[in-house]
Amino acid sequence: MKSVVDPSKIDLLMKSGRFDADWYVRRYPDVALTGMDPAEHYLWLGERLGRRGNPSGVDDVIIDLHQIRPTRPKRTDDASAVLPDVDGMMRVLAKWEGLEKDYVCYQLGVERESDPLRVAQMYYAALKTRNILPNPLFDPEYYKMVNHLKFREDAVYHYLTGGSEKQLSTHRLFDHEWYLKSYPLARDVGDLIVHYWSNGYRNKILPVDEGKVPVLSPIKEAFFSEISIGKKIKYDSLIYREFNFDLNHLDDESLEDHYWSAGRSEGRLASIPALLDKYHLPGHCLPVDFDPKQYMSLHVDLEGAFLKNPWGALTHYISGGFSEGRLYNYAQVNGFVRPLSYSLSDDALASSKDKTPLCVLVHLYYPEMWGEIEPYIANIDFDFDLHVNLVESTWSSVAINNIRRAYPKAFLKISPNEGRDIGGFFSLLKNIDFSSYVAFALLHSKKSPHVTREYASLWKKNLFGAILGSRDLIRENIAAFLEDQEIGIIGSIRSRHAGIEGNEDGMKKLFEIYQISEEHQACEYVSGTMMMVRSEIMFGVYQPLSNHQFVSGDNKGIDHHIDGQVEHSVERIFGNVMKQLGYRFLWR
Amino acid sequence: MKIAFILHDLSLTGAPKIGLDMAAIMARDHDVYLVSKKDGPLRSVAEEKDFKEVRIIKTSHEYEKLSLSSRVAQYQTYLEDIRADYVYINSIASADWAAACRDLSIPFALHGHEMRAEIRSLAISGIFQLSDAASADLIVSASEECAKDTRSELHLGNRPIFNFGVGIDCEIVGEKARGQVPQAVNVAGSLLNLAKDFGGRKRVAMCGVACERKGADLFWQLAKRCPDMDFLWIGPWDDDVAKPVNPALPLNKESGIDNLYWTNMLSNPYPALKASDLFMLSSREDPNPLVVPEAMSLGLPVCTFSETGGSRVWTERFGFSMAGKVSPARMENFVRRFFSQDDWNYNPSDLFLAEADIHNKVKDLMERLAESGSVNS
């Protein structure tokens, strides 16, 4: 295969001594899936994604990006060199066999349109502000990124005037290499998208390898429902139950009776194709890697509604989640969620030598919530220290008694109500010897008056559960810190957040204070500030602001809980400090 | 084994008091020669203990203006006379003994009870030399805070420091608490009979020599803020000891408050402590006052502020530790909230008794001494 990167650049990188190919492949397992040379992958894509070329630490030598910055593949026959006007591009798109008119209309939220030129017009009108897919297997943003197009270049036009012939990658869910194994002759046909829909799809071959991308059976059935022999599925008991959870009390037989006798006439949905029909979304446009449980768990506002009937979440996605751009599986968030293989034996604990594995910090603004937190702490079955911060205006003797009864060696402090949970943690950290711990667990009594009680409850459950959910999980987490020196913070994937919201000014200040370099200023953090943090990072976050005077929260309204306070910025800076120090998140 | 145990004075409280208790326990297994740089009321107590000798070598900087060389010469003579095997220097105020130990190559331990300001002041005044003190075979501290300050002031780097903390003999404290309850007086001359409960009025106590460091003025302000409670200062307030140093005296003269009482000097403060409902440490700075675990051992709830000093090691575990600096407003908030809570049992737990017990602590210390020098544990 011809390299997509100038070989001299690869040579330069390898000679620089700053690239560790073995480490890179281990660190980013998806590299192996591409079959590319690791250095080539790094120069082609890894560096653009902010990946590192070698295991970095605090004193990491920064790769000179100017020297080895990858050059874009030169396209001597570059069709985009001279771009036609929009009308020209629209005509090209309208003529494309792969244009999915219904799919485009669905994305635009408009009635179905049969005129391809009209669809192409609407497509380009909307494309100015949104990423619209003209075909389920053509993602313009993905295409631009992996094929190194310039921002001003039009992805569709580029594909249709040259890219298709080169069979450039078009969508993360269209694995060309895998598809060509089934249709080796397709290597010469040019437009693989059109080939797939005419051939692969009709033979019920998925566009991706199920061995690499899990595809759930109901989704697969719906995906191929348009070419299924015989009548489309009208009734699916699992789906009917989960889409209509008010009928959950019925047994299977009664449930089906209900559909045929009443549900159908009431317009109740009884299958995924029926749902897709309702919203004019062709079955083959359904993303094959959709996972209703992951969709629900990524969006805690859905968890209350669909906790017991996860397939019901599909109705949310099809009716609104899609157009809101909501992510629907962990792979979209994190590339992949690596199953943990760490385990913490007593021998491993003993080998941590002088360090206590865990220091648990609890900020207990609501002392009556100790009973909710305590069971999570009780899951820790090895040596740990417990520090609890209570607040001057809310502490109670009952809570103090209960804490001391359960944990006679606990350290309790009462502090002014300043800086919310962050202020409480900082108060507890005042006399802590950071070097004596492997990691810290941060917990607090969250009520979050700015969100609903149910939402807050689920949020809390997710936050606590990811770090202290069970004995085995806690041991896995500690083992992860001990065995993988790159893991800096462990938190709930459901609480992963990347929004600055109203904290731009605060973050700018903190970037200066913490000396966060530009490449580490992207926002990514555990929303809710409940996480496990490697000791070095905890120190890194604490030290620069150890004498900061946080604002009192007493007698403050709801506004105080919403973004804008310095503590909201500190909550976010954990992620930046972590990356600055050369560590990464482990999302659970 | 002959151990010379050095105190900087013989006052009834603080470092000399805990030093005497430690030395008495050591004397069970070793020949202990107790030496003080200054005489004081603790001498009679010391003379009842099983020491080989109680000797006063008057070299205290508070009374004697002696050069370091002349002081060290006296110490060397003494150490050679008794043929000391080990020297335990119980405070940095006695660290001039370190020079004598170095010259004579006698292994020694230095027990820091002081915090940064005091260590620096002693060094600047020429009481001791940093290099002598830093050459101790074992550094001991009265609290984590003392250890931190000792480390930085003596430039100890990463050398290990044994945090002895403070220890008490709970049985003796309990026994003494059953003694006669003293009377206390207020600015109007009215007496507070500590043996009686006054109609449910709560009583908040503090103990020590009333001075700025002990926060006598802050305690006075607290009393003024809480006229519905009684406040008791156990110790010198307006007697000869406290008069020159008590910043609350002019306040009380100008605006006398009748809910603040004091006992002045007491040989046995424990009955007054026991007759209180809450102990509030009002000190601005206090390394690790013995009265905190003593009050706890008597079943008294205790509140301290973390930036005052090392008492937080007790109150974070067994009492109430307030983050930050002491202030009358925060003390008032605490006492009001405290007394509004349900009653609970403040009997000292087994864990507290084990940790506070000075016998266990001295046992640990002797093991460290054995590791660091020639003392057999």
Side-chain angles (χ1 to χ4, degrees):
Chain A
M1 187 187 290
K2 193 185 170 195
S3 173
V4 294
V5 178
D6 183 347
S8 67
K9 299 292 180 189
I10 296 175
D11 206 35
L12 180 64
L13 175 65
M14 295 309 292
K15 284 178 181 168
S16 73
R18 294 168 181 166
F19 183 77
D20 182 341
D22 288 343
W23 176 86
Y24 186 74
V25 174
R26 273 187 284 114
R27 171 68 183 82
Y28 306 107
D30 59 328
V31 175
L33 301 180
T34 66
M36 293 177 77
D37 171 72
E40 184 188 10
H41 184 280
Y42 175 78
L43 293 172
W44 171 63
L45 181 62
E47 190 265 349
R48 284 169 62 101
L49 297 176
R51 292 179 171 183
R52 283 169 290 152
N54 62 5
S56 53
V58 179
D59 300 314
D60 188 22
V61 179
I62 303 298
I63 292 172
D64 184 349
L65 299 179
H66 296 292
Q67 274 200 7
I68 60 168
R69 189 174 295 282
T71 52
R72 295 189 179 88
K74 285 184 180 175
R75 296 187 290 268
T76 50
D77 57 343
D78 193 343
S80 66
V82 181
L83 282 174
D85 58 16
V86 175
D87 282 349
M89 292 194 287
M90 280 191 299
R91 280 193 293 276
V92 170
L93 174 59
K95 285 180 188 167
W96 183 36
E97 205 179 329
L99 175 63
E100 288 276 1
K101 300 187 290 292
D102 288 356
Y103 187 46
V104 171
C105 292
Y106 168 76
Q107 293 173 81
L108 298 176
V110 299
E111 288 298 312
R112 280 186 281 194
E113 170 62 58
S114 57
D115 178 3
L117 193 58
R118 175 71 192 126
V119 172
Q121 282 171 342
M122 290 191 291
Y123 174 85
Y124 275 108
L127 195 64
K128 290 172 188 167
T129 55
R130 294 170 56 190
N131 183 41
I132 307 287
L133 281 63
N135 183 287
L137 297 184
F138 190 91
D139 179 341
E141 299 233 315
Y142 174 87
Y143 183 83
K144 278 189 183 184
M145 184 187 78
V146 301
N147 298 307
H148 303 285
L149 270 65
K150 292 172 185 165
F151 283 112
R152 64 182 179 82
E153 288 181 285
D154 179 71
V156 174
Y157 187 78
H158 184 276
Y159 179 70
L160 296 179
T161 56
S164 60
E165 280 178 32
K166 293 177 185 169
Q167 298 187 334
L168 296 180
S169 187
T170 57
H171 195 290
R172 67 181 181 82
L173 290 177
F174 191 16
D175 183 341
H176 289 189
E177 196 174 330
W178 181 81
Y179 180 63
L180 289 171
K181 280 182 189 167
S182 299
Y183 290 94
L185 295 178
R187 200 175 290 279
D188 301 320
V189 301
D191 192 337
L192 266 187
I193 292 177
V194 172
H195 187 277
Y196 172 78
W197 293 119
S198 318
N199 298 277
Y201 178 74
R202 297 203 172 279
N203 288 313
K204 292 199 173 182
I205 291 173
L206 285 167
V208 282
D209 180 358
E210 278 186 271
K212 294 175 185 169
V213 178
V215 179
L216 299 173
S217 296
I219 295 292
K220 192 173 176 181
E221 279 178 27
F223 183 74
F224 289 119
S225 60
E226 293 161 76
I227 54 166
S228 293
I229 298 169
K231 289 165 67 175
K232 280 186 185 173
I233 302 164
K234 296 270 190 200
Y235 177 82
D236 178 321
S237 64
L238 168 71
I239 296 298
Y240 190 54
R241 184 181 296 283
E242 297 215 356
F243 279 11
N244 303 279
F245 209 57
D246 55 321
L247 306 176
N248 190 41
H249 59 285
L250 300 176
D251 60 31
D252 282 353
E253 198 176 327
S254 307
L255 190 71
E256 183 160 4
D257 286 346
H258 179 277
Y259 175 69
W260 296 113
S261 62
R264 192 168 50 155
S265 56
E266 288 169 9
R268 289 183 184 249
L269 299 172
S271 67
I272 295 175
L275 169 70
L276 301 178
D277 275 350
K278 181 179 176 182
Y279 289 95
H280 308 306
L281 179 66
H284 69 274
C285 298
L286 189 62
V288 293
D289 60 342
F290 182 86
D291 183 322
K293 285 185 181 170
Q294 292 185 20
Y295 178 60
M296 180 183 63
S297 67
L298 282 168
H299 306 286
V300 285
D301 55 325
L302 306 182
E303 200 164 11
F306 303 113
L307 194 61
K308 292 177 181 168
N309 56 326
W311 279 105
L314 182 61
T315 61
H316 181 277
Y317 181 71
I318 299 299
S319 65
F322 182 98
S323 59
E324 290 169 20
R326 294 201 187 207
L327 304 182
Y328 56 79
N329 71 17
Y330 300 155
Q332 288 176 298
V333 176
N334 208 29
F336 61 93
V337 173
R338 186 167 44 182
L340 284 187
S341 57
Y342 306 113
S343 63
L344 187 65
S345 64
D346 291 334
D347 287 347
L349 273 177
S351 71
S352 62
K353 292 177 183 171
D354 300 333
K355 293 198 175 189
T356 303
L358 191 61
C359 179
V360 179
L361 306 182
V362 181
H363 175 63
L364 203 59
Y365 179 81
Y366 300 104
E368 67 275 18
M369 287 179 64
W370 168 250
E372 283 186 47
I373 296 174
E374 200 274 331
Y376 289 99
I377 299 173
N379 286 332
I380 307 171
D381 70 342
F382 48 78
D383 187 26
F384 72 102
D385 284 340
L386 172 63
H387 293 256
V388 182
N389 185 65
L390 295 112
V391 173
E392 277 183 19
S393 49
T394 63
W395 68 268
S396 78
S397 57
V398 174
I400 290 177
N401 253 347
N402 288 339
I403 296 167
R404 287 195 168 136
R405 197 174 298 126
Y407 299 97
K409 292 187 174 179
F411 299 87
L412 273 59
K413 199 178 265 189
I414 302 173
S415 71
N417 182 23
E418 292 168 353
R420 301 165 65 251
D421 47 313
I422 293 292
F425 293 139
F426 272 52
S427 174
L428 290 175
L429 290 167
K430 193 102 186 162
N431 299 100
I432 295 275
D433 178 6
F434 291 82
S435 63
S436 63
Y437 297 105
V438 173
F440 289 80
L442 309 188
L443 310 172
H444 59 97
S445 57
K446 197 167 189 60
K447 276 195 179 170
S448 298
H450 58 295
V451 297
T452 65
R453 182 181 296 183
E454 187 184 31
Y455 186 97
S457 166
L458 287 166
W459 192 4
K460 239 175 358 195
K461 190 189 76 180
N462 291 336
L463 289 165
F464 287 136
I467 50 176
L468 299 178
S470 70
R471 170 196 174 279
D472 289 344
L473 181 139
I474 297 166
R475 282 185 168 245
E476 280 176 3
N477 286 343
I478 294 297
F481 282 123
L482 291 173
E483 291 177 24
D484 188 338
Q485 292 301 314
E486 288 221 329
I487 292 174
I489 293 176
I490 300 176
S492 165
I493 181 102
R494 305 168 198 200
S495 301
R496 178 187 177 275
H497 197 59
I500 294 263
E501 277 80 37
N503 302 289
E504 292 88 349
D505 293 343
M507 290 306 292
K508 270 184 199 166
K509 263 186 213 164
L510 291 187
F511 288 153
E512 282 177 29
I513 292 169
Y514 285 92
Q515 299 183 354
I516 303 295
S517 53
E518 209 174 323
E519 69 266 33
H520 297 125
Q521 291 183 2
C523 183
E524 184 181 17
Y525 70 103
V526 184
S527 176
T529 331
M530 291 202 231
M531 53 192 154
M532 272 194 195
V533 183
R534 187 182 284 278
S535 183
E536 289 83 348
I537 296 165
M538 194 73 247
F539 181 73
V541 171
Y542 170 73
Q543 189 60 23
L545 288 186
S546 56
N547 294 315
H548 179 75
Q549 178 63 51
F550 290 100
V551 176
S552 172
D554 285 332
N555 308 314
K556 297 279 166 60
I558 291 293
D559 288 352
H560 183 72
H561 297 275
I562 301 172
D563 288 322
Q565 317 295 329
V566 68
E567 45 270 28
H568 287 110
S569 301
V570 177
E571 177 185 27
R572 286 166 171 81
I573 206 72
F574 273 84
N576 304 103
V577 171
M578 180 197 73
K579 289 174 184 170
Q580 184 74 34
L581 293 176
Y583 296 97
R584 64 180 170 84
F585 281 106
L586 174 63
W587 295 108
R588 304 216 63 187
Chain B
M1 193 68 55
K2 290 180 180 173
I3 302 174
F5 199 103
I6 316 298
L7 305 176
H8 70 274
D9 73 20
L10 285 167
S11 58
L12 288 170
T13 58
K17 167 74 168 58
I18 194 167
L20 179 71
D21 289 344
M22 291 167 65
I25 295 169
M26 290 181 190
R28 293 176 184 174
D29 300 315
H30 302 280
D31 293 339
V32 174
Y33 295 76
L34 192 79
V35 183
S36 174
K37 293 170 70 176
K38 183 182 162 190
D39 207 347
L42 197 65
R43 182 173 184 172
S44 57
V45 181
E47 285 172 344
E48 290 172 11
K49 305 281 183 188
D50 194 17
F51 297 129
K52 279 287 172 191
E53 175 176 50
V54 176
R55 173 76 72 97
I56 312 297
I57 300 178
K58 291 188 175 178
T59 52
S60 170
H61 61 284
E62 293 176 26
Y63 298 104
E64 312 290 338
K65 302 293 178 195
L66 300 171
S67 68
L68 180 62
S69 303
S70 64
R71 281 178 273 145
V72 170
Q74 290 188 59
Y75 303 153
Q76 286 183 338
T77 302
Y78 180 75
L79 292 173
E80 284 173 331
D81 281 352
I82 66 167
R83 306 178 84 167
D85 298 307
Y86 202 96
V87 178
Y88 195 93
I89 302 173
N90 188 53
S91 64
I92 294 176
S94 305
D96 43 1
W97 279 80
C101 296
R102 278 185 90 179
D103 271 8
L104 298 176
S105 297
I106 301 174
F108 70 103
L110 177 65
H111 190 147
H113 293 263
E114 296 88 344
M115 293 180 74
R116 186 181 312 278
E118 206 170 344
I119 298 171
R120 200 165 287 183
S121 165
L122 289 165
I124 290 168
S125 308
I127 307 305
F128 74 104
Q129 288 187 349
L130 291 175
S131 57
D132 293 331
S135 67
D137 297 275
L138 177 69
I139 305 282
V140 184
S141 73
S143 68
E144 284 177 23
E145 284 75 7
C146 287
K148 193 174 161 193
D149 287 358
T150 302
R151 183 183 302 286
S152 65
E153 292 302 310
L154 300 188
H155 311 296
L156 296 176
N158 291 325
R159 278 190 60 187
I161 295 179
F162 176 63
N163 181 18
F164 184 85
V166 296
I168 58 172
D169 191 323
C170 296
E171 273 185 34
I172 290 177
V173 172
E175 200 176 293
K176 286 185 173 177
R178 290 191 283 275
Q180 191 177 356
V181 180
Q183 285 191 321
V185 64
N186 69 3
V187 68
S190 302
L191 295 177
L192 176 69
N193 189 339
L194 293 172
K196 286 186 181 175
D197 177 17
F198 279 82
R201 278 175 73 86
K202 298 296 183 186
R203 197 175 291 151
V204 181
M206 166 63 190
C207 187
V209 176
C211 62
E212 190 179 4
R213 185 173 70 81
K214 290 280 183 182
D217 51 329
L218 304 178
F219 195 72
W220 181 88
Q221 289 180 56
L222 172 62
K224 189 167 188 193
R225 284 167 168 267
C226 304
D228 51 329
M229 304 171 201
D230 287 331
F231 292 82
L232 174 64
W233 189 277
I234 302 168
W237 178 269
D238 63 354
D239 57 13
D240 290 345
V241 177
K243 221 174 218 173
V245 291
N246 184 354
L249 287 180
L251 299 173
N252 213 23
K253 189 175 178 185
E254 192 178 311
S255 175
I257 48 176
D258 58 10
N259 62 329
L260 175 66
Y261 298 83
W262 56 88
T263 64
N264 280 332
M265 181 69 87
L266 291 173
S267 58
N268 178 9
Y270 304 120
L273 260 183
K274 196 170 173 59
S276 303
D277 298 303
L278 170 71
F279 184 83
M280 170 65 76
L281 187 74
S282 62
S283 301
R284 289 184 168 87
E285 183 184 303
D286 222 335
N288 198 349
L290 271 177
V291 67
V292 167
E294 286 173 343
M296 286 177 167
S297 76
L298 294 174
L300 215 61
V302 177
C303 175
T304 69
F305 284 74
S306 62
E307 287 190 25
T308 293
S311 293
R312 63 175 185 79
V313 301
W314 298 110
T315 50
E316 283 181 2
R317 303 277 305 286
F318 308 108
F320 300 89
S321 174
M322 307 289 284
K325 285 184 178 169
V326 64
S327 85
R330 294 187 64 201
M331 285 194 283
E332 181 194 359
N333 286 342
F334 175 81
V335 294
R336 292 204 178 284
R337 192 165 181 87
F338 174 80
F339 286 127
S340 72
Q341 304 276 319
D342 297 335
D343 288 337
W344 4 329
N345 177 11
Y346 287 96
N347 285 333
S349 65
D350 290 345
L351 189 63
F352 167 80
L353 294 173
E355 289 194 19
D357 180 33
I358 193 168
H359 298 90
N360 291 338
K361 285 176 180 284
V362 172
K363 192 180 165 197
D364 287 348
L365 175 65
M366 293 310 287
E367 286 172 8
R368 298 298 181 110
L369 255 59
E371 289 166 11
S372 71
S374 56
V375 174
N376 297 320
S377 59

